[in-house]
């Protein structure tokens, strides 16, 4: 429980050994296992504790968190604005690396807080969306 909200999920990634055979096969494998695709419980608790220590909880409504998330995504986009495709792919080997990492961290924290505020099981939501995408965009024959 984080702030009275039941939390579930994990930040481990999809096993890439399934990638060549397609999204759906990998998802069917993980759907029947207990291994989460995303585990954010520790981050949920840390973000909650951080905000509570500063009495920020009253500001963490879904509306405010979604707006803050949007701002942080815009800050990430700004780093890539006017870059070529090649420059954007090489950004992590430039002086902008730390800035990119900071913005990604902000995005992850706000997303985690939003998920918590809404009571969303992010692992289940990601699994469901990946299954929808696998059916919508099948692997070419």
């Amino acid at each position: 429980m984080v702030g009275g909200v039941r939390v579930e999920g994990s930040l481990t990634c999809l096993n890439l050994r399934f990638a060549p055979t397609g999204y759906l096969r990998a998802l069917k494998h993980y759907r029947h296992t207990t291994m989460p695709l995303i585990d954010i419980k520790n981050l949920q608790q840390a973000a909650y504790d951080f905000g509570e220590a500063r009495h920020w909880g009253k500001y963490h409504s879904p509306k405010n968190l979604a707006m803050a998330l949007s701002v942080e995504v815009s800050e990430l986009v700004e780093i890539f604005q006017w870059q070529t495709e090649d420059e954007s792919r090489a950004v992590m080997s430039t002086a902008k690396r730390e800035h990119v990492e900071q913005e990604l961290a902000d995005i992850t924290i706000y997303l985690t807080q939003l998920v918590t505020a809404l009571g969303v099981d992010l692992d289940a939501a990601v699994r469901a969306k990946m299954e929808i995408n696998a059916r919508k965009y099948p692997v070419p024959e």
Side-chain angles (χ1 to χ4, degrees):
M1 297 287 281
V2 176
V5 176
R6 187 167 158 251
V7 297
E8 300 185 24
S10 168
L11 207 51
T12 54
C13 65
L14 192 64
N15 189 330
L16 294 178
R17 70 188 167 129
F18 290 105
T21 59
Y23 231 16
L24 195 54
R25 180 173 167 201
L27 288 168
K28 285 179 183 175
H29 170 78
Y30 284 103
R31 175 191 244 172
H32 301 292
T33 68
T34 57
M35 183 179 137
L37 297 176
I38 297 177
D39 185 353
I40 60 170
K41 290 179 210 144
N42 292 338
L43 179 55
Q44 284 176 303
Q45 189 64 57
Y48 176 79
D49 292 347
F50 186 89
E52 284 302 299
R54 289 153 181 82
H55 309 287
W56 291 349
K58 61 186 172 188
Y59 305 112
H60 289 175
S61 67
K63 175 193 75 80
N64 288 346
L65 292 168
M67 290 170 60
L69 177 60
S70 173
V71 169
E72 295 303 334
V73 170
S74 294
E75 290 176 8
L76 178 63
V77 169
E78 186 178 29
I79 295 169
F80 294 101
Q81 187 176 18
W82 311 121
Q83 288 188 346
T84 66
E85 296 295 319
D86 289 339
E87 288 169 334
S88 71
R89 287 186 176 94
V91 75
M92 297 308 283
S93 60
T94 71
K96 294 180 181 180
R97 178 187 183 97
E98 185 176 355
H99 191 190
V100 170
E101 290 172 346
Q102 289 173 356
E103 298 308 333
L104 289 171
D106 285 339
I107 290 164
T108 303
I109 292 165
Y110 278 122
L111 178 61
T112 298
Q113 290 175 314
L114 182 58
V115 164
T116 303
L118 294 172
V120 171
D121 178 343
L122 190 58
D123 186 67
V126 166
R127 286 172 191 266
K129 183 59 177 173
M130 290 177 77
E131 287 180 18
I132 290 167
N133 288 347
R135 285 190 294 278
K136 187 174 179 180
Y137 306 106
V139 176
E141 298 288 327

